[in-house]
Amino acid sequence: MLYGRLDDLRELSSKRLAGALRETGGTHQMRSERDTSVAMYSDQLAQYSAVENGLCFGRLDFHEGDRFYIGRIGLFDEDKEYEPLLMDWRAPAARPFYLATAAAPDGVKRRRHLRTKQRKVVGFDDEVLDINSVDPNRHEGLTGEATLLAAVNASRTGQMGDIVATIQAEQDKIIRTELNGVVVVQGGPGTGKTAVALHRAAYLLYTHRRQLAKRGVLVVGPNSTFLRYIGQVLPSLGETGVLLSTVGELFPNLTATGRESAEAAALKGRIEMAEVVAHAVKDRQEAPALVEIPFEQDVLKLDRRAITAARGRARRTRRPHNEARRTFLREIISTLASQAVSRLGRHLLDQADIDDIRRELREDPEVQAAVERLWPTLTPQRLLEDLYATPRLLAKATPKLSAEERALLARPRGSAWTPADVPLLDEAAELLGEDDTEAKARAERRRRQAIDYAQGVLDILDLEDDADPEILMATDLMDAYRLAERHGVERYETAAERAAADRTWTFGHIIVDEAQELSAMAWRTLMRRCPSKSMTVVGDIAQTGDIAGASSWHEVLSPYVMDRWKLTELTVNYRTPSEIMAVAADVLAGVDPDLVPPTSVRDSGHQPWSLKVSATAAALPGLVAEEVDAIGDGKLAVIVPAAQVADLRAVVPGASDDLDAQVVVLGVVDAKGLEFDSVLVVDPAGILAESPRGASDLYVALTRATQRLGVVHEGELPAVLDRLAQRSASTV
């Protein structure tokens, strides 16, 4: 019945979408309404398709005899006055499915967890919460324990799955936290931080649809691999309009794929770089001692005093550089015009003559070149490229940096932009602004051209001299303006699509995953994107690997919200089995003895091991083959120092960086937030030495596995891994 109703809704939306697409022409309002209908029905179809798998996953039986089915979206029976057929998991009435216990049943008699395959129920687990018939102590731990353990023990697929059927009480509390303010979700590996954050996004969009649909929700991840990994979670929860992005992708029409040293990236991430960018902008507003400008048969002169006065007036407008340029230009033209008028004789000229002189000066190439030198029109890309490539500009803008630090910033023109450049480009864009005078003029020219073309079409249609005067012609029904408007091409874009193309877009809510890795400048960029400071910040300080990353949440947030943020913690490890977590705990103690690892809910039965080899490249293919045999259809990750990724990926048959592949070879940075059935960590000493925060990186690498862990090394095994069982090459 549920799937029948879903099919009915899908068919209805398809028909309405087809009808909307057939509508053409009309007024601007009619076209806008058509586009809105197309977007709405398209979104509905996408939602109905995305929730097909696991549509219904639970049932609540109440003492009063009521029974509710819980699912990914809400469905209603239109034949029975819209009686609920399926309750959306985000609805307040569905909350007992996640919170009810025998000690506090909230009226629930039985909770049933359904397991489905496509449209067929393949199994279920019941929890009886009647305190009179069952020991209540059995029901105060994990909710739906059998279903939960089945989910965490299942083979990985290369894409993150949702936890909508197995949300635990501590997770549900965070998911349903109010919209306003900053919520920090701190939790160790495997505690479900990412899943909680994504389900929180779905919950907020459901609860605050009107508020968030227009502004949108932004989910920020550490890298594109991670975003591909989590990409299907929100659609599976019925939400298809959320923008997923890395910090390096937040500047429109720019791909930041360049690489640089960790030291250079860390320097660019320091908050002092905001001052450097501000200096770089002001340094381009020059005031030389004298500028001579040939004009007609004369030479006009601008001295430093006149230039400084014009610059001061422009700066006092407090407008961004490119917008303030108009004021600077007006003042310079006024000064030059006064000179020209004085030399010609003011008493010989009327106001029309003076206006002509001003216009000629404004259009004169020599004057334009002089103004461009004194106050150039700049893009963020040009500003930074000039700064990095010009020692004089770099020295002027960085008086507080050492020569060694300047050398880290210096690079030739044409170099690829790096992710660490993006916050600096964003900062520059804020300070530069955009002079849209030319853009508006181009748009107006295009509009006029369209009207002229439409008028030509109407003229052709009206050429028939012998036409019956009683018959209405095209020119009787519309003019050129309306014809051009009617045939204008407008494409509806979702809030996420518009936000991706608009650097100034501000979001209703931002979720930041692996937030501990963000630099101070990256945080400055994100805070600019969300003036309301409605954010969910997800991470683990113990896993900070980037040397520009955070050492405390207070350090990150206090500059923007002071102490107005809420810390929540996840303490249960659902991913990492206890055998592996015991090894990782030793590494964590080396990061900070005061840090407490999360508690694992299960054992895997597989003892983590280490193996010393004479040549990693020679031994790795055989070890990978052994692990693939052991995990069957599962996923294997080989995590190696970043410098060895390309070489070792080349020696492992079938290895890739594509998470759909069974075997992937990744550096620690690209493995953050991911999980695999089995993990081989290669050269742990190299991972430790690769970064000042190498211990945190090793902790991350060890905790990616859900079942099996092996460590391969050529030199001595780091002491923090002494707990690993040593094996010989012949041991499978």
Side-chain angles (χ1 to χ4, degrees):
M1 186 175 183
L2 292 177
Y3 280 105
R5 178 60 178 150
L6 184 67
D7 290 339
D8 291 342
L9 290 171
R10 184 185 286 122
E11 182 179 359
L12 179 62
S13 294
S14 295
K15 290 180 178 178
R16 288 175 173 172
L17 175 60
L21 289 172
R22 284 194 296 268
E23 295 178 9
T24 59
T27 65
H28 178 78
Q29 179 179 347
M30 292 171 65
R31 294 201 308 275
S32 177
E33 291 173 353
R34 177 200 64 200
D35 290 342
T36 300
S37 297
V38 168
M40 179 177 67
Y41 298 132
S42 296
D43 288 346
Q44 286 178 355
L45 282 171
Q47 182 189 57
Y48 296 148
S49 297
V51 301
E52 170 95 16
N53 186 34
L55 174 65
C56 176
F57 54 80
R59 192 184 81 189
L60 289 174
D61 296 343
F62 289 86
H63 283 286
E64 295 81 359
D66 292 332
R67 173 176 291 175
F68 295 110
Y69 287 91
I70 313 298
R72 296 175 181 277
I73 60 173
L75 294 177
F76 301 89
D77 189 344
E78 62 179 1
D79 295 330
K80 297 183 179 180
E81 298 183 351
Y82 285 90
E83 177 183 315
L85 293 174
L86 187 66
M87 186 178 296
D88 194 299
W89 67 275
R90 296 165 289 190
R95 201 170 188 192
F97 186 78
Y98 303 109
L99 299 184
T101 66
D106 202 13
V108 178
K109 180 179 180 181
R110 180 192 295 109
R111 173 171 47 215
R112 172 167 291 181
H113 295 264
L114 300 170
R115 299 191 300 277
T116 61
K117 185 175 182 180
Q118 296 179 345
R119 298 191 172 199
K120 183 178 181 180
V121 176
V122 296
F124 63 88
D125 298 296
D126 278 348
E127 292 178 274
V128 179
L129 304 185
D130 187 344
I131 198 169
N132 295 318
S133 58
V134 179
D135 180 1
N137 292 326
R138 291 181 54 194
H139 299 278
E140 292 182 346
L142 300 174
T143 300
E145 182 172 350
T147 304
L148 172 64
L149 293 180
V152 298
N153 282 315
S155 295
R156 306 298 99 175
T157 65
Q159 290 184 332
M160 183 178 181
D162 62 66
I163 60 168
V164 65
T166 58
I167 294 172
Q168 300 300 298
E170 67 171 1
Q171 298 171 327
D172 183 83
K173 183 178 180 181
I174 296 170
I175 289 169
R176 298 175 192 264
T177 303
E178 62 182 15
L179 172 66
N180 296 328
V182 177
V183 176
V184 177
V185 185
Q186 163 75 32
T191 53
K193 301 183 298 297
T194 299
V196 166
L198 295 174
H199 286 68
R200 175 161 167 74
Y203 170 77
L204 292 176
L205 283 164
Y206 172 85
T207 308
H208 305 279
R209 179 75 63 188
R210 181 174 298 178
Q211 184 174 348
L212 293 180
K214 182 179 294 185
R215 301 309 316 165
V217 173
L218 170 66
V219 175
V220 178
N223 53 63
S224 56
T225 302
F226 176 83
L227 294 180
R228 290 195 300 272
Y229 176 66
I230 68 172
Q232 289 303 309
V233 174
L234 283 167
S236 75
L237 298 173
E239 300 298 341
T240 57
V242 177
L243 177 63
L244 275 62
S245 176
T246 65
V247 172
E249 296 168 340
L250 285 178
F251 200 88
N253 303 316
L254 183 142
T255 304
T257 57
R259 294 186 176 274
E260 61 190 338
S261 68
E263 291 75 17
L267 174 59
K268 291 177 181 179
R270 283 162 38 182
I271 197 65
E272 293 88 343
M273 288 301 295
E275 186 177 344
V276 170
V277 176
H279 273 303
V281 174
K282 285 192 172 183
D283 290 341
R284 302 302 293 272
Q285 301 163 1
E286 297 185 3
L290 182 66
V291 176
E292 295 184 342
I293 305 173
F295 179 67
E296 295 183 347
Q297 305 303 317
D298 203 351
V299 175
L300 304 178
K301 297 181 180 181
L302 291 171
D303 59 19
R304 178 170 290 155
R305 181 177 179 181
I307 298 170
T308 302
R311 185 176 66 179
R313 290 189 181 94
R315 286 179 174 177
R316 285 194 294 274
T317 65
R318 298 189 179 276
R319 293 181 178 276
H321 171 90
N322 289 329
E323 296 176 23
R325 186 180 188 273
R326 282 174 281 184
T327 300
F328 180 79
L329 174 62
R330 184 178 65 247
E331 295 297 323
I332 292 296
I333 294 298
S334 179
T335 299
L336 295 175
S338 295
Q339 286 185 37
V341 169
S342 296
R343 294 179 184 183
L344 291 172
R346 182 176 293 274
H347 64 284
L348 300 175
L349 305 173
D350 58 20
Q351 187 59 45
D353 295 327
I354 295 174
D355 291 341
D356 286 341
I357 291 172
R358 288 178 177 273
R359 178 181 53 77
E360 290 172 6
L361 283 167
R362 189 175 291 107
E363 296 175 354
D364 186 84
E366 295 287 351
V367 175
Q368 292 176 350
V371 172
E372 182 64 19
R373 172 191 167 190
L374 299 173
W375 194 296
T377 300
L378 295 169
T379 64
Q381 293 91 325
R382 178 184 168 188
L383 179 78
L384 284 192
E385 191 167 52
D386 288 349
L387 178 67
Y388 293 154
T390 311
R392 176 182 63 85
L393 293 176
L394 188 56
K396 286 182 66 178
T398 57
K400 297 180 181 179
L401 297 186
S402 67
E404 291 77 12
E405 289 172 324
R406 290 192 192 102
L408 290 173
L409 295 176
R411 70 184 190 199
R413 296 182 188 278
S415 300
W417 296 108
T418 71
D421 286 324
V422 169
L424 304 187
L425 290 167
D426 195 72
E427 187 74 21
E430 283 293 303
L431 297 176
L432 293 174
E434 183 178 356
D435 186 348
D436 60 356
T437 304
E438 276 300 314
K440 288 181 177 178
R442 287 194 300 271
E444 178 61 19
R445 285 196 295 270
R446 288 195 298 268
R447 189 181 75 86
R448 293 305 313 174
Q449 289 170 356
I451 293 174
D452 290 343
Y453 179 82
Q455 184 62 57
V457 172
L458 292 176
D459 290 344
I460 292 173
L461 294 175
D462 203 33
L463 285 178
E464 298 182 25
D465 293 332
D466 57 348
D468 187 341
E470 298 299 322
I471 299 177
L472 290 176
M473 303 294 292
T475 51
D476 297 320
L477 299 174
M478 68 180 69
D479 57 19
Y481 175 81
R482 291 188 177 183
L483 180 61
E485 182 187 51
R486 172 171 292 187
H487 290 278
V489 178
E490 296 181 11
R491 187 180 76 85
Y492 176 84
E493 292 181 323
T494 65
E497 289 172 327
R498 297 197 304 275
D502 184 357
R503 191 201 63 82
T504 63
W505 189 274
T506 56
F507 292 88
H509 190 79
I510 293 181
I511 290 174
V512 189
D513 206 345
E514 300 293 340
Q516 75 279 353
E517 302 297 332
L518 269 60
S519 69
M521 286 301 296
W523 279 109
R524 189 174 169 93
T525 298
L526 290 183
M527 291 295 177
R528 191 177 289 131
R529 295 291 195 281
C530 190
S532 67
K533 303 299 183 289
S534 174
M535 305 179 81
T536 302
V537 176
V538 181
D540 180 14
I541 295 298
Q543 296 185 61
T544 303
D546 196 306
I547 56 177
S551 57
S552 75
W553 297 121
H554 174 77
E555 167 193 289
V556 166
L557 298 172
S558 61
Y560 304 101
V561 296
M562 300 181 69
D563 59 351
R564 297 188 299 275
W565 54 278
K566 177 182 179 181
L567 177 66
T568 61
E569 294 190 72
L570 295 171
T571 59
V572 179
N573 189 333
Y574 304 99
R575 175 207 302 146
T576 316
S578 58
E579 298 94 335
I580 296 176
M581 204 61 219
V583 176
D586 293 339
V587 178
L588 181 63
V591 175
D592 185 341
D594 295 329
L595 294 174
V596 179
T599 303
S600 297
V601 300
R602 65 193 175 94
D603 303 329
S604 69
H606 303 292
Q607 186 65 30
W609 51 265
S610 67
L611 175 64
K612 186 173 184 178
V613 298
S614 57
T616 300
L620 198 55
L623 293 170
V624 166
E626 290 179 3
E627 286 301 308
V628 169
D629 286 342
I631 61 176
D633 295 332
K635 300 287 184 177
L636 168 65
V638 182
I639 301 179
V640 306
Q644 302 179 38
V645 170
D647 291 340
L648 294 182
R649 188 177 289 157
V651 304
V652 177
S656 172
D657 62 348
D658 185 348
L659 297 182
D660 289 334
Q662 185 172 24
V663 180
V664 295
V665 178
L666 302 170
V668 177
V669 171
D670 287 331
K672 282 183 178 291
L674 309 183
E675 58 183 33
F676 307 90
D677 298 277
S678 178
V679 169
L680 292 177
V681 177
V682 175
D683 190 10
I687 292 175
L688 286 170
E690 199 168 38
S691 162
R693 289 177 165 171
S696 295
D697 285 343
L698 183 57
Y699 180 61
V700 170
L702 295 172
T703 52
R704 300 304 94 197
T706 65
Q707 301 292 340
R708 299 166 61 88
L709 172 68
V711 175
V712 182
H713 58 103
E714 292 182 10
E716 292 301 315
L717 189 70
V720 291
L721 299 179
D722 284 346
R723 193 186 293 265
L724 290 169
Q726 296 183 9
R727 58 163 278 187
S728 65
S730 61
T731 304
V732 179

